């Protein structure tokens, strides 16, 4: 999405995706000095994966199904649901890597609560997909440049 | 060979004894002073001769690291059987117990996961 120049003062926009807020992702580093913030008012995301790539894997789609069934799950609960409900016997490490891909694509937001870590389903990137093809309202800018 | 003991690593034996008896409802069976710590076990109510749960101090440096890593990923190392997970969830929640996983169907079992306040996540499970 946006990458910082080596001196950290500016950002370059690589093939346009969406600003972080559109994904419901909190400001990347609100505590950073202004020189490290994106001058455009948009915020730097360290890693942004592709939503379509993230959705291309059946195990990752099952993970999203389970989070849609009940949001805010621990890694243990996600693994248990995949194993017990879907007979998916991937290792915990493999599931953890799937979660990393989903998080990089903005489809999952992780939240630390005390000593626990929960995974939250973020639907915003999916809304962009719906918006792209299923709506043709005036809010859709004709010059909008979609990612591949 | 029979299994007669199993252990949970607790950060404070007094606190653990209160939680495992007053809140969970187990009964104290053995308490033997051993220097700084005690040999301390509880059993299921009404089953004095059943498997004992040792409330074992987590004083070893590796134990805390291990426990924290499990908790971070929501992993319960210990599981207890209950008649009715939903009823236990309601009862324990009223007593202030914090759950990291509310009751949910996991194939042939219904499970929930709570924090034992001694550094562990505990699963309760009920066969359908």
């Amino acid at each position: 999405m946006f990458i910082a120049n080596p001196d950290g003062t500016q950002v370059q926009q690589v093939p346009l995706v969406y600003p972080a807020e559109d994904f419901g992702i909190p400001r990347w580093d609100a505590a950073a000095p202004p020189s490290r913030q994106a001058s455009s008012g948009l915020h730097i995301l360290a890693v942004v994966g592709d939503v379509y790539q993230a959705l291309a894997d059946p195990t990752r789609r099952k993970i999203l199904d389970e989070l849609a069934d009940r949001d805010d799950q621990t890694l243990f609960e996600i693994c248990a649901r995949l194993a017990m409900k879907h007979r998916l016997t991937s290792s915990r490490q493999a599931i953890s890597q799937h979660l990393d891909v989903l998080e990089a694509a903005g489809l999952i937001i992780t939240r630390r609560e005390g000593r626990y870590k929960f995974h939250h389903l973020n639907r915003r990137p999916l809304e962009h997909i719906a918006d792209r093809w299923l709506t043709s309202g005036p809010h859709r800018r004709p010059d909008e440049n979609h990612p591949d | 060979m029979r299994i007669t003991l199993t252990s949970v690593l607790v950060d404070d034996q007094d606190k653990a004894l209160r939680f495992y008896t007053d809140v969970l409802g187990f009964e104290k069976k053995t308490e033997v002073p051993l220097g700084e710590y005690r040999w301390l076990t509880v059993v299921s109510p009404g089953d004095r001769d059943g498997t004992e749960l040792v409330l074992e101090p987590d004083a070893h440096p590796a134990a805390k690291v291990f426990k924290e890593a499990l908790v971070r990923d929501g992993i319960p190392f210990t599981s207890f059987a209950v008649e009715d997970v939903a009823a236990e969830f309601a009862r324990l929640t009223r007593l202030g117990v914090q759950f990291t996983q509310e009751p949910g169907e996991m194939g042939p079992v219904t499970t929930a996961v709570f924090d034992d306040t001694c550094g562990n996540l505990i699963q309760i499970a009920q066969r359908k």
Side-chain angles (χ1 to χ4, degrees):
Chain A
M1 182 182 292
F2 297 96
I3 54 172
N5 285 334
D7 64 2
T9 55
Q10 293 179 16
V11 290
Q12 292 176 343
Q13 197 171 348
V14 293
L16 187 139
V17 194
Y18 302 95
E21 300 94 320
D22 282 7
F23 291 98
I25 295 171
R27 182 178 276 247
W28 171 64
D29 186 359
S35 64
R36 287 188 55 207
Q37 299 287 358
S39 56
S40 63
L42 301 173
H43 305 296
I44 301 166
L45 285 179
V47 183
V48 174
D50 184 275
V51 172
Y52 305 98
Q53 291 257 330
L55 294 171
D57 181 273
T59 299
R60 290 200 285 271
R61 292 197 294 272
K62 282 278 176 264
I63 291 172
L64 297 180
D65 287 341
E66 291 304 321
L67 285 172
D69 183 50
R70 179 158 74 200
D71 206 356
D72 292 322
Q73 295 182 37
T74 61
L75 174 62
F76 172 78
E77 182 173 0
I78 292 167
C79 291
R81 283 168 171 253
L82 293 176
M84 302 303 283
K85 295 174 73 173
H86 303 291
R87 303 272 166 231
L88 290 172
T89 52
S90 309
S91 68
R92 189 172 282 129
Q93 287 82 356
I95 300 301
S96 189
Q97 283 168 8
H98 282 310
L99 290 169
D100 288 344
V101 173
L102 290 167
E103 186 173 18
L107 289 162
I108 280 179
I109 295 173
T110 57
R111 176 171 56 84
R112 278 291 177 84
E113 200 175 297
R115 298 178 301 124
Y116 326 123
K117 180 179 173 185
F118 294 101
H119 300 79
H120 162 71
L121 172 62
N122 183 36
R123 292 181 166 84
R124 294 301 298 273
L126 303 174
E127 288 167 7
H128 282 299
I129 294 175
D131 207 37
R132 178 171 173 180
W133 285 297
L134 298 182
T135 61
S136 55
H139 63 280
R140 174 129 175 234
R141 300 192 302 275
D143 61 340
E144 194 164 356
N145 180 19
H146 286 289
D148 294 339
Chain B
M1 207 179 288
R2 292 184 310 120
I3 298 171
T4 55
L5 294 172
T6 184
S7 304
V8 284
L9 291 162
V10 300
D11 58 5
D12 179 323
Q13 286 188 305
D14 288 321
K15 182 176 67 174
L17 183 61
R18 283 197 301 276
F19 184 84
Y20 279 81
T21 56
D22 295 350
V23 177
L24 296 189
F26 295 131
E27 294 167 359
K28 185 170 83 176
K29 180 166 182 181
T30 312
E31 185 168 17
V32 179
L34 289 171
E36 189 180 353
Y37 302 110
R38 288 163 286 161
W39 176 255
L40 180 62
T41 75
V42 296
V43 289
S44 309
D47 190 14
R48 299 287 302 172
D49 297 327
T51 303
E52 294 174 58
L53 181 68
V54 184
L55 304 179
E56 177 87 20
D58 66 3
H60 192 286
K64 285 191 169 63
V65 177
F66 171 71
K67 289 170 68 180
E68 283 167 10
L70 291 180
V71 169
R72 188 161 51 245
D73 284 340
I75 300 170
F77 195 68
T78 302
S79 182
F80 300 129
V82 297
E83 292 285 319
D84 184 339
V85 167
E88 281 294 334
F89 171 74
R91 182 182 78 85
L92 294 173
T93 302
R94 271 198 306 277
L95 292 172
V97 175
Q98 187 168 13
F99 279 76
T100 61
Q101 183 204 307
E102 296 190 3
E105 292 188 6
M106 303 288 170
V109 290
T110 301
T111 65
V113 178
F114 64 82
D115 190 320
D116 77 347
T117 72
C118 303
N120 306 288
L121 296 178
I122 306 289
Q123 178 171 272
I124 48 176
Q126 160 198 1
R127 284 209 171 273
K128 281 187 219 158

